Amino acid sequence: MKETQNFTKGNILTSLVRFALPVLAALFLQTMYGAVDMLVVGRFATAADVSAVSTGSWLMQLITSFVVGIAMGTTVLLGRRLGEGKPEEAGKIIGASIVLFTIIGVVITFFMELCAVPVAQIMRTPIEAFDATVLYVRICSAGSVFIVAYNVLGSIFRGIGDSRMPLVTVAIACVFNIAGDFLLVGVFGMATAGAAIATVLAQALSVIISVLIIRRQKLPFTFRRTDIVFDRKRMGSVFRLGLPIAFQDLLVSISFLAITAIVNSLGVIPSAGVGVAEKLCGFIMLVPSAFNQSMSAFVAQNMGAGRMDRAKRALLCGIGMSLVVGVFMAWLSFFHGDLLAGLFARDEAVIAAAADYLKAYAIDCLLVSVMFCMIGYFNGCGKTLFVMLQGIAGAFGVRIPVSLIMSRIKPVSLFKVGLATPCSSVVQIILCVGYFLLLSRRKSKKEVVE
């Protein structure tokens, strides 16, 4: 496969950027994929429907984050085997991953269908949006198997150094989702239900078409149907490596759900405003997120090849490039948040609430440029337990307590509530830098002894 890259040699900056650009494009389309629901519902439905899609999307994002975290175990293991020069193991790892994620998809479907109402209650969903939120979650949950397959496909190809196939996958889903939203919500007036149905159908069609495309490609390893077996050892390896990342992502998502619940208690306008702002943040954070994913694949291959020097230099390159873009996005979010929010809402009150919340995220634009790259670096190194611990510290030690305190300071300001996020990022960066220095010191001592 021509798109497969060997990260253990060649110019670091060029290799990293070449891999990151398709990842960035895929993330952009995936963010558009989620934002289109909000945009179309905001144009053709009510503030209550916007609130329902916002809350329901966060619940489904929680599930998706968990799946992507576990799938990172597949990405890292594949990268290591390629770096070690053992491509024959790749097919078996993928076969075991398929079985593992099929089981996970079935469990998620059953759990979310059963718990849709209680979870919406825990989220303090506004009364006006409660039934629509439950409906959105149940419809999306019915397609959990496709959500899982959709994300696992991306993790597999990033692991073998191909960032273009995930781009094709998400592009297909995005096109179908946009068409479905305008048809079901704009033409047939199905509001929240239409947005949910369009999401599920788009992912299902994307998975089917992507599999047909993949079958025509030549893979850089041998993969047979006989590799799709219940391989406890390899499934365990993927799960153990990915679980800390998944748990961290899950807890981070829960912390943002907690903030959403806090804001929901303030009323439907703040709820809708924060929902719009969070959709915009998906775009604002695209570049750091792209380098996060790219860094994991890049570092994993170099770790397998024993090239720690290249891994560290890649980290510095990623941080530098993310910061350049972060400065611009911070300026745009702080001074022109109302213009951005106007893309997703018509209600002036909702736009004002979203703009107020975005000012806090403007600060975080600079911080995540450092934090996301470091997290990707540690994931690639296999230090997923540390990634989980620092995520827990940021989410439950800072983000939730600060947002709760700010929500009780009168007069309530969404800017103050939003400050919980950059406060959390500061703490996580301190932990990441400290751990990076600790690992470097240990390595230096080991080299001296040897």
Side-chain angles (χ1 to χ4, degrees):
M1 184 180 298
K2 294 181 179 179
E3 294 84 357
T4 300
Q5 295 188 50
N6 184 344
F7 297 131
T8 62
K9 57 185 179 181
N11 184 275
I12 293 175
L13 181 61
T14 301
S15 298
L16 188 59
V17 171
R18 186 184 297 129
F19 185 78
L21 284 176
V23 175
L24 175 62
L27 286 174
F28 173 78
L29 290 176
Q30 189 151 1
T31 304
M32 275 295 296
Y33 178 90
V36 164
D37 288 348
M38 185 71 73
L39 188 152
V40 176
V41 171
R43 293 293 177 184
F44 295 101
T46 65
D49 289 304
V50 173
S51 176
V53 172
S54 170
T55 304
S57 295
W58 265 115
L59 290 170
M60 296 313 300
Q61 181 59 39
L62 185 150
I63 300 301
T64 301
S65 295
F66 179 80
V67 172
V68 171
I70 296 293
M72 185 62 73
T74 302
T75 299
V76 174
L77 279 179
L78 286 175
R80 283 186 180 177
R81 296 301 174 263
L82 290 175
E84 293 168 354
K86 299 178 180 178
E88 68 280 357
E89 273 290 304
K92 297 184 183 300
I93 291 171
I94 291 174
S97 295
I98 290 173
V99 175
L100 173 64
F101 286 104
T102 299
I103 295 171
I104 290 175
V106 172
V107 171
I108 288 174
T109 301
F110 176 78
F111 177 80
M112 289 304 295
E113 292 291 341
L114 188 66
C115 300
V117 172
V119 171
Q121 291 172 337
I122 293 172
M123 287 294 299
R124 300 181 183 177
T125 304
I127 295 175
E128 306 95 317
F130 188 87
D131 290 341
T133 300
V134 172
L135 181 61
Y136 184 92
V137 171
R138 281 183 167 161
I139 293 173
C140 289
S141 298
S144 293
V145 172
F146 296 113
I147 293 175
V148 171
Y150 174 77
N151 287 283
V152 170
L153 280 172
S155 72
I156 289 173
F157 280 90
R158 281 189 292 272
I160 63 175
D162 178 6
S163 56
R164 296 185 183 182
M165 190 60 219
L167 174 58
V168 172
T169 302
V170 72
I172 294 169
C174 189
V175 169
F176 280 118
N177 188 53
I178 291 173
D181 275 332
F182 277 104
L183 178 64
L184 299 178
V185 180
V187 177
F188 293 107
M190 296 177 67
T192 306
I197 293 171
T199 295
V200 172
L201 290 179
Q203 290 180 332
L205 289 170
S206 174
V207 170
I208 293 170
I209 294 174
S210 298
V211 169
L212 293 176
I213 293 174
I214 291 168
R215 290 183 64 182
R216 294 176 175 271
Q217 292 187 339
K218 182 179 180 182
L219 299 174
F221 53 82
T222 301
F223 177 69
R224 304 181 180 88
R225 291 183 181 180
T226 54
D227 290 326
I228 306 176
V229 295
F230 190 91
D231 188 329
R232 183 174 298 179
K233 181 179 178 180
R234 292 184 175 87
M235 288 169 62
S237 297
V238 171
F239 192 76
R240 282 192 300 274
L241 190 58
L243 181 61
I245 302 173
F247 194 58
Q248 184 255 350
D249 288 343
L250 182 66
L251 293 178
V252 168
S253 295
I254 288 174
S255 73
F256 280 107
L257 282 174
I259 293 175
T260 301
I262 292 169
V263 174
N264 282 348
S265 68
L266 302 177
V268 71
I269 295 300
S271 172
V274 170
V276 169
E278 292 292 355
K279 288 299 180 186
L280 287 167
C281 288
F283 291 99
I284 293 168
M285 303 298 182
L286 278 176
V287 171
S289 297
F291 278 107
N292 181 326
Q293 294 189 17
S294 303
M295 196 68 65
S296 297
F298 193 99
V299 171
Q301 279 198 26
N302 281 283
M303 284 292 294
R307 296 298 307 275
M308 179 61 71
D309 57 323
R310 286 179 61 85
K312 289 182 178 180
R313 291 202 299 272
L315 173 61
L316 295 177
C317 288
I319 290 174
M321 287 183 286
S322 295
L323 274 173
V324 171
V325 178
V327 170
F328 172 74
M329 298 309 297
W331 170 81
L332 187 63
S333 303
F334 193 89
F335 293 105
H336 300 288
D338 55 340
L339 295 178
L340 296 175
L343 298 173
F344 292 90
R346 292 178 298 175
D347 191 312
E348 292 297 328
V350 173
I351 292 173
D356 194 32
Y357 193 72
L358 279 173
K359 289 182 179 180
Y361 263 102
I363 302 171
D364 205 42
C365 286
L366 303 175
L367 299 174
V368 297
S369 298
V370 177
M371 186 183 74
F372 281 16
C373 286
M374 297 201 77
I375 288 174
Y377 173 85
F378 290 126
N379 283 338
C381 290
K383 304 297 182 181
T384 55
L385 180 59
F386 167 76
V387 171
M388 179 188 74
L389 294 175
Q390 63 83 33
I392 294 174
F396 292 89
V398 181
R399 193 177 299 120
I400 293 177
V402 171
S403 62
L404 184 60
I405 292 170
M406 292 300 184
S407 70
R408 294 181 177 179
I409 297 177
K410 304 297 182 180
V412 177
S413 165
L414 290 182
F415 168 70
K416 293 178 182 178
V417 174
L419 284 175
T421 300
C423 287
S424 171
S425 295
V426 169
V427 172
Q428 290 175 258
I429 288 173
I430 292 172
L431 293 174
C432 286
V433 171
Y435 190 62
F436 180 84
L437 295 175
L438 177 63
L439 291 178
S440 298
R441 190 176 297 113
R442 286 178 178 175
K443 188 174 185 299
S444 297
K445 288 182 178 179
K446 183 179 179 181
E447 290 174 350
V448 170
V449 171
E450 292 177 351

